[in-house]
Amino acid sequence: MTYQKKSIEDIAVAGKKVLVRCDFNVPQDETGAITSDKRIVASLPTIQYLMKQGAKVILCSHLGRPKGEVNPKFSLAPVAKRLGELLGVSVIMAEDVVGADAKAKAAALKDGEVMLLENVRYHKEEEKNDPAYAKELASLAELYVNDAFGTSHRAHASTAGVADYLPAVCGYLINKEISIMGQALESPKRPLVAILGGSKVSDKIGVINNLLEKVDTLIIGGGMAYTFIRAQGGKIGNSLCEEDKLDYALEMVAKAKAKNVNLCIPTDTIIADKFAADAASDVVAADAIPDGWMGLDIGPATLKAFQDAVKNAGTVIWNGPMGVFEFEKFAGGTKGVAAAIAESDAISIIGGGDSASAVKKLGFEKEMTHISTGGGASLEFLEGLELPGIACLEDK
Ligand code: AMP
């Protein structure tokens, strides 16, 4: 797939009705108050550009899981209010998505005005990518802009289907995601070092396989490392292990050798006598974990080796924690890797999910080149899969 997609700056938008798919899936408390407006703030550059160019801006998004039914609990009205405050203009809120109110308000929009449709998931047709629903949504506008990276791996009506009926380009958020991650995969500053962690090998099979074609060094930490250690004959006690992935792990070890990739797996590990914050702990060789104990973090020698690999990197891609970082006692590996990436001069790309929250929590956000806004989407991107919400956009 090509990562060179047309963006809002590559087409004329003045005077046009532009349907923009945003990610307004914001967290709310039990009273419906928005507890973090980060996603709304992140959408501002695209919206402000379109307003300034004199486009008629029609925004849409999903919020939560209304399961195809109208449910005020999942209304986007609070988002319209907050967005209006941030933009300093009032945002027109439609009462429906493709109903009479949305149609009338879209038709009456003036240049530079902004409106927000109701939750696209009020219709079950959204997630089914129903062509009739996508066509109706598209009929509100003359152009489509996708700026919701977090849902771009889903072929839904508002993330991909509408592009069958409208010229489609990306907004600033998606443009940044695909240009930085695309470059890291296609023409990276080398050495390219990828660090994978988290609990399961099975979640990252495609990612490991694809990255072995691209990287100079592949580092594997977290719970998934023990399947690799066990596959190579190590004793891992009660550590996480996916018995049905042992052959796959060996295949990947062989592939790394064949591709001349430096595959780094933990040599020492911090073990615990139970899965708990207050467990007794010790440091042992990663392939000699005593019976009854489990590895919950990488050991100090492993951390040092991983940090050295990061120090010499031209580009680092990181996805998944090195240990059970939720327990302070076993958070050192994840923190140490985050700190090394923050300190290095490498281009640094952090996948969404746990690694992104660890980086933010540790205050390293500004030190990173790019923190992806989509966990699932960034993993599929690293797998080399075609993301429907990006594939549907016009090539540059
Ligand atoms: P994932 O959802 O696959 O990205 O994995 C994230 C989870 O992996 C976190 O909740 C970690 O606590 C967990 N994890 C990381 N290392 C280990 C480990 N050694 N044993 C058990 N769980 C782990």
Side-chain angles (χ1 to χ4, degrees):
M1 121 161 155
T2 165
Y3 305 117
Q4 306 279 319
K5 294 293 180 180
K6 276 192 191 164
S7 87
I8 41 175
E9 291 190 7
D10 299 320
I11 48 158
V13 297
K16 296 251 173 72
K17 288 201 215 87
V18 183
L19 177 69
V20 188
R21 177 53 157 101
C22 299
D23 178 3
F24 289 149
N25 187 27
V26 293
Q28 290 169 289
D29 66 16
E30 50 297 333
T31 69
I34 296 168
T35 53
S36 166
D37 64 1
K38 274 197 177 156
R39 287 182 168 163
I40 306 176
V41 172
S43 72
L44 294 176
T46 293
I47 298 170
Q48 282 166 330
Y49 173 83
L50 292 170
M51 289 169 70
K52 215 164 148 202
Q53 297 293 311
K56 302 175 173 83
V57 186
I58 305 167
L59 307 172
C60 69
S61 174
H62 79 281
L63 174 66
R65 296 175 188 276
K67 299 192 177 143
E69 281 168 23
V70 175
N71 181 342
K73 210 179 125 202
F74 298 103
S75 170
L76 280 160
V79 172
K81 184 166 172 282
R82 181 72 192 120
L83 179 62
E85 288 162 8
L86 291 164
L87 288 172
V89 298
S90 93
V91 170
I92 301 159
M93 184 66 210
E95 282 166 23
D96 46 32
V97 190
V98 289
D101 193 60
K103 282 179 181 151
K105 283 175 177 159
L109 266 187
K110 298 195 187 77
D111 292 356
E113 281 187 339
V114 184
M115 71 177 278
L116 175 58
L117 303 178
E118 255 306 353
N119 195 333
V120 287
R121 290 193 189 168
Y122 276 2
H123 297 259
K124 60 182 183 321
E125 292 85 353
E126 161 67 4
E127 290 182 80
K128 289 186 182 151
N129 195 9
D130 177 79
Y133 176 64
K135 196 173 176 185
E136 251 199 310
L137 198 53
S139 74
L140 297 173
E142 296 156 279
L143 288 173
Y144 170 66
V145 173
N146 191 3
D147 212 19
F149 183 70
T151 46
S152 64
H153 58 316
R154 305 277 182 233
H156 293 170
S158 73
T159 63
V162 282
D164 286 344
Y165 308 99
L166 292 174
V169 301
C170 62
Y172 288 119
L173 282 177
I174 286 202
N175 197 35
K176 183 175 180 231
E177 297 270 2
I178 60 177
S179 52
I180 294 181
M181 292 205 284
Q183 170 147 25
L185 293 182
E186 293 310 312
S187 51
K189 192 170 163 220
R190 293 195 179 268
L192 171 59
V193 177
I195 308 172
L196 295 179
S199 55
K200 287 202 209 136
V201 178
S202 47
D203 288 347
K204 304 219 165 104
I205 283 182
V207 180
I208 298 171
N209 199 25
N210 188 44
L211 287 178
L212 280 174
E213 307 277 343
K214 317 263 182 196
V215 301
D216 300 291
T217 296
L218 179 63
I219 291 175
I220 294 188
M224 61 195 275
Y226 302 97
T227 299
F228 281 81
I229 295 165
R230 167 98 180 75
Q232 294 176 90
K235 267 187 76 214
I236 59 164
N238 289 345
S239 307
L240 274 189
C241 182
E242 286 170 276
E243 292 290 336
D244 61 337
K245 293 294 171 293
L246 294 174
D247 288 343
Y248 175 78
L250 286 180
E251 225 177 90
M252 291 302 105
V253 171
K255 181 168 176 176
K257 237 182 232 144
K259 296 267 171 196
N260 228 352
V261 171
N262 176 25
L263 180 66
C264 301
I265 288 167
T267 53
D268 64 344
T269 183
I270 304 182
I271 53 170
D273 63 345
K274 58 181 176 187
F275 190 87
D278 63 349
S281 65
D282 201 357
V283 178
V284 298
D287 60 358
I289 299 177
D291 290 342
W293 291 69
M294 62 188 89
L296 293 191
D297 197 8
I298 54 174
T302 301
L303 175 58
K304 168 88 177 35
F306 288 6
Q307 287 177 323
D308 286 345
V310 167
K311 241 178 235 163
N312 298 319
T315 307
V316 182
I317 300 173
W318 180 30
N319 193 302
M322 296 292 99
V324 183
F325 72 105
E326 295 92 338
F327 300 155
E328 190 54 37
K329 211 169 180 176
F330 306 102
T334 301
K335 286 185 186 171
V337 163
I341 299 174
E343 261 166 43
S344 89
D345 296 327
I347 294 165
S348 48
I349 299 168
I350 315 299
D354 287 330
S355 358
S357 15
V359 161
K360 288 175 192 163
K361 206 170 134 198
L362 293 166
F364 293 139
E365 207 169 343
K366 290 219 163 64
E367 263 67 58
M368 306 301 178
T369 311
H370 180 60
I371 301 180
S372 179
T373 53
S378 71
L379 268 183
E380 289 198 17
F381 197 94
L382 297 179
E383 269 185 80
L385 296 178
E386 185 157 272
L387 280 57
I390 292 170
C392 71
L393 307 177
E394 289 180 14
D395 292 337
K396 202 158 180 162

